[in-house]
Amino acid sequence: MILDYIALAILIVVILVFVYGLIAIHDIPYEIAKARNHPHQDAIMAAGWVSLFTLHAIWPFLWIWAMAYRPDLGWGTDHTQLQARVAEVEKQLLARRSPIE
């Protein structure tokens, strides 16, 4: 009889740990977004709850979304160097162009 109660207690603990683990895992992309000062933190958190109810089907996409923004670079690239290079190439092309007669 006592073993039945011990088994029941173990089963309840395992289920509670499993449920807590699922809830903790769904929050990882939001924590990443918060740490990176992501502009879409609230949307990532809401999508995390939606992912929890869909058995984490969209969770990998939330991870990518949270990781795509960096505080020092924004959305992944620094466009100032690219714009300077494009301006330089345009200058060179205009210099090569012969005057129209």
Side-chain angles (χ1 to χ4, degrees):
M1 185 73 167
I2 190 75
L3 290 178
D4 291 338
Y5 290 119
I6 292 173
L8 181 61
I10 291 172
L11 182 63
I12 290 172
V13 167
V14 167
I15 290 173
L16 288 175
V17 168
F18 182 74
V19 169
Y20 177 78
L22 281 178
I23 292 172
I25 286 172
H26 100 277
D27 210 25
I28 291 173
Y30 171 70
E31 294 298 327
I32 292 170
K34 190 168 69 170
R36 290 177 173 231
N37 199 20
H38 199 292
H40 303 142
Q41 292 176 25
D42 295 333
I44 291 173
M45 184 179 69
W49 281 104
V50 170
S51 177
L52 179 67
F53 292 117
T54 60
L55 301 177
H56 295 279
I58 61 172
W59 191 87
F61 300 107
L62 295 178
W63 181 286
I64 293 168
W65 186 13
M67 296 291 287
Y69 183 81
R70 285 184 37 192
D72 55 340
L73 292 179
W75 288 104
T77 58
D78 183 14
H79 295 293
T80 56
Q81 291 177 351
L82 181 61
Q83 289 172 345
R85 187 170 176 193
V86 168
E88 171 102 20
V89 169
E90 286 176 345
K91 250 191 206 178
Q92 290 175 358
L93 287 175
L94 287 175
R96 287 186 187 174
R97 188 183 286 177
S98 63
I100 299 176
E101 299 176 13

